[in-house]
C-alpha cells in the first residue's frame, strides 16, 4: 500500500520525545485520581477519630466497672498475708446479685457503718482527677471509703470464739483457717453472735491487727455488714505479678450446715 509523506510526518510528530515520561491519556487520569486518594488526612479529622476512640474506651470502661469488674488497691495490713499493702485486686460486681455471697469469700464493701471514721477531704485538681480516673476505671479505687475483709458468717449463722484449740465455731462446726497470718490468735477477743438476715460477719486474715466486726460489737448493729453495701467479691490479685492469686477460700467452711 502506498504511503504519503504527509502521513509519515504527522505520525512522527505525534510520537513522544526522547526522555519524556509518556503515558496514555487514560493512564494520566488514573494516576491523578490515585494521588487524590492517598492525600494525608487532615489534623482535624485525626483529632476527631482519636476523640471518638477515647470516648468509646471510657464508656466501655465505665460499663465494665458498673456491672462486671472494678479494681481496688489495698491500703492496710488487715488482710495479710493474703493481701499485701499496695496490692491491686479485681472485684466481681456479679456477687452479690447474680451469685450469692458465701462463707470464705473476700469482699470489698462500702464503709456505711463508719468503721474508718471521716475520710480525709481532698480538694482542687487532685480530687477532680482522682475521682474522674476512679469513675472511669482507669485507676484502681482507693480504700478510703471501702474495706476488704473475709466473710465468716452469713445471715442466720451463729459464730463463736473459740474452741479449746482457738478455732472459730460456725453453727457449732470448728473452722481450720489456713489463710491466717502467722501468730494470729482468735481467742484474744471472745464473742458469740448470731448474724441478722441479709447481713455478714466479717474478719481480717491478720486477726491481731484487724478492726473488723469484733471491734464494733459495742453497738451490735454496727458489727454487721449489710449485703447491700457489698461492692463485690475479690476474685484476683492483679498486681504485682508475683502476687497473682485468688484470695477467696470457701473450703474451710464446706462442713458448716
Amino acid at each position: 500500500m502506498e504511503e504519503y509523506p504527509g502521513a509519515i510526518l504527522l505520525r512522527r510528530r505525534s510520537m513522544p520525545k526522547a526522555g519524556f515520561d509518556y503515558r496514555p491519556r487514560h493512564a494520566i487520569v488514573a494516576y491523578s485520581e490515585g494521588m487524590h486518594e492517598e492525600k494525608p488526612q487532615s489534623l482535624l479529622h485525626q483529632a476527631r477519630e482519636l476523640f471518638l476512640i477515647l470516648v468509646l474506651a471510657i464508656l466501655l470502661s465505665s460499663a465494665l466497672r458498673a456491672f462486671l469488674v472494678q479494681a481496688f488497691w489495698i491500703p492496710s495490713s488487715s488482710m495479710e498475708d493474703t493481701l499485701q499493702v499496695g496490692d491491686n485486686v479485681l472485684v466481681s460486681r456479679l456477687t452479690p446479685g447474680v451469685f450469692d455471697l458465701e462463707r470464705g469469700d473476700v469482699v470489698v464493701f462500702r464503709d456505711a457503718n463508719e468503721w474508718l471514721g471521716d475520710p480525709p477531704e481532698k480538694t482542687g485538681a487532685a480530687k477532680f482527677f482522682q475521682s474522674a480516673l476512679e469513675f472511669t476505671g482507669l485507676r484502681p479505687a482507693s480504700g478510703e471509703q471501702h474495706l476488704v475483709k473475709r466473710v465468716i458468717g452469713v445471715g442466720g449463722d451463729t459464730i463463736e470464739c473459740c474452741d479449746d484449740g482457738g478455732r472459730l465455731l460456725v453453727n457449732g462446726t470448728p473452722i481450720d483457717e489456713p489463710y491466717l497470718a502467722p501468730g494470729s490468735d482468735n481467742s484474744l477477743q471472745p464473742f458469740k453472735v448470731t448474724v441478722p438476715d441479709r447481713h455478714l460477719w466479717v474478719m481480717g486474715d491478720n486477726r491481731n491487727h484487724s478492726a473488723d466486726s469484733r471491734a464494733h460489737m459495742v453497738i451490735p448493729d454496727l458489727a454487721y455488714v449489710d449485703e447491700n453495701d457489698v461492692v463485690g467479691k475479690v476474685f484476683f490479685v492483679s498486681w504485682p505479678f508475683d502476687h497473682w492469686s485468688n484470695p477467696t477460700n470457701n473450703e474451710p467452711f464446706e462442713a458448716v450446715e
Side-chain angles (χ1 to χ4, degrees), residues 22-202:
Y22 173 73
R23 294 186 183 88
R25 185 178 300 275
H26 66 276
I28 295 176
V29 173
Y31 179 74
S32 299
E33 290 174 352
M35 289 179 63
H36 178 72
E37 291 174 357
E38 295 174 2
K39 183 178 179 180
Q41 296 178 340
S42 67
L43 291 177
L44 178 60
H45 184 77
Q46 294 179 16
R48 286 165 54 190
E49 284 188 350
L50 179 60
F51 176 75
L52 180 60
I53 291 172
L54 289 175
V55 169
L56 291 176
I58 290 173
L59 291 176
L60 179 59
S61 177
S62 300
L64 288 173
R65 173 185 177 276
F67 300 108
L68 293 177
V69 177
Q70 186 172 355
F72 287 85
W73 63 270
I74 305 302
S76 75
S77 62
S78 68
M79 283 294 293
E80 291 181 349
D81 292 336
T82 305
L83 299 175
Q84 306 288 332
V85 174
D87 281 356
N88 285 0
V89 298
L90 299 181
V91 173
S92 169
R93 299 299 301 270
L94 301 179
T95 306
V98 177
F99 304 102
D100 293 331
L101 290 164
E102 299 180 3
R103 307 176 193 95
D105 288 348
V106 174
V107 296
V108 170
F109 55 95
R110 288 178 287 274
D111 187 25
N113 292 343
E114 298 183 351
W115 290 3
L116 298 175
D118 295 329
E121 184 67 23
K122 286 186 173 65
T123 58
K127 178 181 180 180
F128 172 79
F129 285 112
Q130 176 175 319
S131 299
L133 292 174
E134 289 180 0
F135 175 78
T136 57
L138 299 178
R139 179 186 187 277
S142 69
E144 291 174 358
Q145 301 286 348
H146 299 82
L147 298 99
V148 56
K149 305 292 181 188
R150 188 178 300 275
V151 176
I152 302 300
V154 297
D157 285 345
T158 296
I159 307 166
E160 184 178 358
C161 175
C162 296
D163 69 1
D164 293 340
R167 297 176 299 178
L168 296 177
L169 300 171
V170 180
N171 298 337
T173 302
I175 307 299
D176 292 309
E177 301 179 273
Y179 42 72
L180 294 183
S184 291
D185 185 357
N186 286 317
S187 63
L188 292 177
Q189 190 171 1
F191 64 90
K192 184 176 182 179
V193 297
T194 297
V195 184
D197 187 41
R198 297 194 60 78
H199 285 73
L200 308 171
W201 180 270
V202 298

